[in-house]
Amino acid sequence: MTTLLVAKQILLTIYSKYEVYITPLLKFLLALVTLSLINSRLGYMETINRLTVVLIVALMCSFMPTNFIVFMGALFVLLHLYTFSLECAAVVGVGFLLLFLLYLRFSPKDALVVVLLPVCFLMRIPYVIPLSMGLIGTPASAVSVACGVIVYYMIHYVTQNTTVIAAMADEETAAKFRFIIDGLLKNREMVVTIAAFALTVVIVYLLRRMSVDYAWTIAMTAGSVVNIMVLLVGDLIFDINQSLISVILGTIVAFLITLILQFFVFYVDYSRTEKVQFEDDEYYYYVKAVPKVTVARPDKKVKQINSARSGETRGTRPAHR
């Protein structure tokens, strides 16, 4: 454990020292992965479905605020859908606009969630986002999590029904609109997922703020159980054909990832907990102090030996008579 704590301290020191370079690099990688996944899932417009274009846009995103990645991702999606079907682009564009207004109203600082959640869905570990946001976010983070879920399911629905949409004649514009809108509004799997993730965020947030030992671990465990239960109950009620094994395994993987997050953000020693009481003219204060687990970075001392001087010393040693 000491080795892990030393490694953690080294990583934090490196990040604080080179933050001005590391942060743009992380933004660049996030934008690169996001735009590449969009192109791989859609890819209808050849102009932007090129590595050079993705690299240029990702480089732009590295020097812009995080919300710019969300904007460019939405723009790529709309351009691809416009090439495929004007009706799809119109419906998804209105949906993006409503989500953007809702997201700016409640959780404008959670831009990474809107970007990372669809990416995590494609990596089959989406449950890590609600657990993580319950630990480091606020109940308002449930809104950004819901926006990320809706973005993923909108893209997923279009990609799953490309054949049906393309088969509709051009004169069936109203039928296309109805088909797309009904498919999005009546997507029971999306509704159940939003409910599960939002409830998980709130439960984890409330439990991790309790003044009990191992509150974060309790919160993560309870959030994982709530996530599984809501998804499975939703599957039984709405018959959305959720895979029990994938839900359980995905939640376990998410729990392990959030343990790593806890190690870097909130790693304390409950065995040295202290309770302090003091007062002023108006209040009595009862404080529970839990020390953080830290370890000093070992300093390496290099002892230099001057071989030349030592040789001179040996050479001038008086001879025995």
Side-chain angles (χ1 to χ4, degrees):
M1 183 58 69
T2 303
T3 304
L4 292 177
L5 291 173
V6 171
K8 170 188 172 181
Q9 191 63 35
I10 293 174
L11 290 175
L12 293 177
T13 302
I14 293 175
Y15 180 78
S16 61
K17 186 176 181 181
Y18 300 102
E19 181 180 3
V20 66
Y21 305 107
I22 296 177
T23 300
L25 177 61
L26 294 177
K27 288 182 180 180
F28 172 79
L29 294 176
L30 177 60
L32 180 64
V33 171
T34 302
L35 299 179
S36 298
L37 287 175
I38 291 174
N39 284 344
S40 64
R41 295 284 290 183
L42 299 175
Y44 300 114
M45 179 176 282
E46 296 181 359
T47 305
I48 61 175
N49 192 18
R50 298 176 182 176
L51 181 59
T52 53
V53 175
V54 172
L55 289 174
I56 293 173
V57 176
L59 185 62
M60 292 172 54
C61 293
S62 64
F63 298 101
M64 300 294 288
T66 311
N67 284 327
F68 190 73
I69 302 178
V70 179
F71 172 76
M72 293 307 301
L75 181 61
F76 266 55
V77 170
L78 293 177
L79 289 175
H80 282 302
L81 293 181
Y82 173 78
T83 304
F84 169 67
S85 171
L86 180 60
E87 293 82 2
C88 285
V91 173
V92 174
V94 173
F96 280 169
L97 179 60
L98 295 177
L99 292 178
F100 183 71
L101 296 176
L102 184 66
Y103 153 75
L104 285 180
R105 174 63 180 83
F106 291 98
S107 52
K109 296 181 180 180
D110 295 337
L112 286 177
V113 177
V114 182
V115 177
L116 286 176
L117 193 49
V119 174
C120 290
F121 263 110
L122 296 177
M123 298 173 63
R124 300 186 182 279
I125 51 171
Y127 313 115
V128 68
I129 300 298
L131 288 177
S132 300
M133 294 311 299
L135 293 177
I136 62 177
T138 64
S141 300
V143 177
S144 57
V145 170
C147 291
V149 172
I150 295 173
V151 168
Y152 167 75
Y153 276 100
M154 282 196 298
I155 299 174
H156 178 71
Y157 178 78
V158 173
T159 55
Q160 289 293 105
N161 296 275
T162 52
T163 305
V164 179
I165 297 173
M168 293 182 177
D170 294 336
E171 61 271 9
E172 297 180 355
T173 303
K176 282 187 180 181
F177 275 115
R178 188 180 303 109
F179 177 77
I180 298 169
I181 295 173
D182 289 345
L184 295 176
L185 296 180
K186 297 180 181 180
N187 192 332
R188 295 177 177 179
E189 183 179 354
M190 180 180 70
V191 174
V192 172
T193 305
I194 291 174
F197 285 11
L199 189 58
T200 299
V201 171
V202 175
I203 292 295
V204 173
Y205 173 81
L206 293 177
L207 292 180
R208 64 101 170 169
R209 288 179 58 85
M210 296 177 62
S211 60
V212 297
D213 292 351
Y214 307 100
W216 277 48
T217 304
I218 295 172
M220 289 186 295
T221 305
S224 301
V225 174
V226 167
N227 180 72
I228 294 175
M229 293 302 297
V230 174
L231 289 175
L232 295 184
V233 170
D235 182 34
L236 292 175
I237 295 175
F238 299 107
D239 191 21
I240 56 179
N241 297 322
Q242 282 275 8
S243 174
L244 175 62
I245 297 177
S246 64
V247 170
I248 294 177
L249 290 180
T251 305
I252 292 175
V253 172
F255 181 85
L256 296 177
I257 295 176
T258 50
L259 280 179
I260 300 175
L261 176 66
Q262 179 189 8
F263 177 76
F264 281 94
V265 178
F266 188 83
Y267 190 65
V268 295
D269 185 3
Y270 285 104
S271 63
R272 296 189 291 129
T273 301
E274 298 181 3
K275 294 184 178 180
V276 183
Q277 176 183 349
F278 57 94
E279 62 178 286
D280 58 14
D281 295 336
E282 299 181 355
Y283 295 97
Y284 286 96
Y285 299 92
Y286 300 89
V287 180
K288 180 180 180 180
V290 184
K292 296 180 180 179
V293 179
T294 57
V295 61
R297 181 178 175 180
D299 295 329
K300 295 182 180 180
K301 296 182 179 180
V302 180
K303 185 177 181 180
Q304 296 181 350
I305 300 175
N306 194 326
S307 58
R309 177 170 294 183
S310 61
E312 292 177 1
T313 303
R314 287 195 299 269
T316 57
R317 183 177 297 172
H320 294 283
R321 294 181 180 179

